[in-house]
Amino acid sequence: MKIRNSFYKNVAFGFTICFIFQTFLNIGGVTKFIPSTGVTLPLVSYGGSSILSALIMFAIIQGLYI
């Protein structure tokens, strides 16, 4: 919210929505609320590429803030 450049703000918002959507898909699939899609839970489930992509998203957001 403290970022002044609108492009950087939109990039951070997009990464946040991506992270929330991935979490919603996993939790919804586990609780049988929606069909399971095979998406791993970020930073919790075992999946190297999922953890790597989540950490890269967080690093980019931190870099945008700096």
Side-chain angles (χ1 to χ4, degrees):
M1 297 304 289
K2 294 181 181 181
I3 299 174
R4 299 212 187 268
N5 192 340
S6 65
F7 176 74
Y8 292 156
K9 191 179 286 191
N10 287 335
V11 168
F13 181 70
F15 282 149
T16 304
I17 293 299
C18 180
F19 185 78
I20 290 171
F21 186 68
Q22 187 176 1
T23 304
F24 172 74
L25 280 179
N26 184 274
I27 292 174
V30 168
T31 59
K32 306 289 189 223
F33 188 66
I34 58 174
S36 181
T37 58
V39 176
T40 59
L41 188 62
L43 303 176
V44 176
S45 298
Y46 181 74
S49 61
S50 176
I51 293 172
L52 184 64
S53 65
L55 290 177
I56 288 173
M57 283 193 305
F58 292 149
I60 290 172
I61 291 172
Q62 284 291 319
L64 292 176
Y65 182 69
I66 292 174

